[in-house]
Amino acid sequence: MQAWRRSWAVLLLAVVATLAGAAVVRAQDAPALRPEPVAPGVWFVQGASALGSPANRNFISNAAFVVTPQGVVVIDALGSPALARELMQAIAKVTPQRVTHVIVTHYHADHIYGLQAFVEAGARVVAHRAALEYLNSDTAALRLKASRDELAPWIDESTRLVPADVWLTQRTTLRVGGVAFEIEPLGPAHTPEDLAVWLPSQRVLFAGDLVFRGRIPFVGQANTRQWIDSLDALLKFDAQTIVPGHGPLSTSARQDMRLTADYLRHLRETMGRAARNMEPFDEAYAAADWTAFEHLPLFRVANRMNAYNTYLQMEREP
Ligand SMILES: [Zn+2]
């Protein structure tokens, strides 16, 4: 083969290999939005155990929907308007009913950036009033600004933060088409505005980010002490099935909440001891034993920040 032909062939092979590699990455990073049955009339979609990226369209959290004779109730709005529209298309394949309500378990970006699509389709948004502080904060505005860069084209200039139509402050029962949704405030835990949604007719509990499965939880500014307490509150529902904020369905509540509970306890123990002994964070972090958690997705990107936030919190905790 002539030299120039050989180099073209090599280049072509390289391009094909790169495209094939990209396709593999894309297939892994971009889970299809496919509703899975939870109980009769109840479905959920499961996001990837990953950071949000253009490749996964910020599909990194779960959402669920419940079909009633007079409308569909969605729990959490997913991480981009495009995903929310995709979810509505998936709902339309299951029922001719339209989405009447979206209950937001908490105002974190991956659960709320889809809200505007539901509102445009005529749905009412229900959330806990404690979210207002975040919603009106510079943090939320800066987060959105950064997401427009990091998650383009899924998050762009037209993506906006959407307040609730109904702000709750206490336990509330929403009835749609004769189906009761018991909405229970459990914050401040993962966030000040945490809501769990209990569907007594099917014994299904939508736990939001109080329950993480199959990945390292995101701690952020959480109140870890009350988060652990809130897990006990969730157990009292005696749910048959729990839809977590991240990860697969749970049909064995106590066992499946163990990861979240053990992780939070470990953070509080190791970082609490360091804070009490006035040991510098870096030393305490290096000395802590992470072997029970380091195999989990997102350990490398989330654990150090989770530990640091917990360290700061434990310094302030009486
Ligand atoms: Zn989340």
Side-chain angles (χ1 to χ4, degrees), residues 73-121:
V73 176
V74 170
I75 293 102
D76 282 344
L78 296 172
S80 61
L83 281 175
R85 283 188 284 270
E86 233 178 291
L87 180 58
M88 281 188 280
Q89 283 161 11
I91 292 171
K93 287 184 186 154
V94 170
T95 173
Q97 297 287 340
R98 66 182 189 88
V99 177
T100 55
H101 297 80
V102 181
I103 305 171
V104 182
T105 61
H106 64 297
Y107 262 75
H108 275 172
D110 52 331
H111 302 260
I112 60 159
Y113 282 168
L115 275 176
Q116 66 196 61
F118 290 107
V119 170
E120 281 157 22

Side-chain angles (χ1 to χ4, degrees), residues 60-62 106 108-111 190 208-209 212 215 218 245-246:
I60 58 164
S61 62
N62 299 344
H106 64 297
H108 275 172
D110 52 331
H111 302 260
H190 178 66
D209 279 8
F212 277 80
R215 54 159 281 190
F218 172 68
H246 297 264

Side-chain angles (χ1 to χ4, degrees), residues 46-83:
Q46 187 186 332
S49 288
L51 286 182
S53 70
N56 64 28
R57 356 204 253 309
N58 209 25
F59 184 25
I60 58 164
S61 62
N62 299 344
F65 62 94
V66 180
V67 179
T68 83
Q70 281 162 13
V72 178
V73 176
V74 170
I75 293 102
D76 282 344
L78 296 172
S80 61
L83 281 175

Side-chain angles (χ1 to χ4, degrees), residues 194-246:
D194 293 313
L195 292 178
V197 182
W198 170 236
L199 192 65
S201 57
Q202 308 283 359
R203 291 181 59 216
V204 175
L205 180 66
F206 306 93
D209 279 8
L210 296 171
V211 179
F212 277 80
R213 299 196 62 212
R215 54 159 281 190
I216 287 290
F218 172 68
V219 171
Q221 303 308 309
N223 181 325
T224 49
R225 181 158 60 186
Q226 292 197 51
W227 190 346
I228 291 168
D229 290 347
S230 78
L231 294 176
D232 288 332
L234 292 181
L235 282 174
K236 296 205 177 91
F237 284 99
D238 198 21
Q240 198 153 60
T241 311
I242 294 179
V243 181
H246 297 264

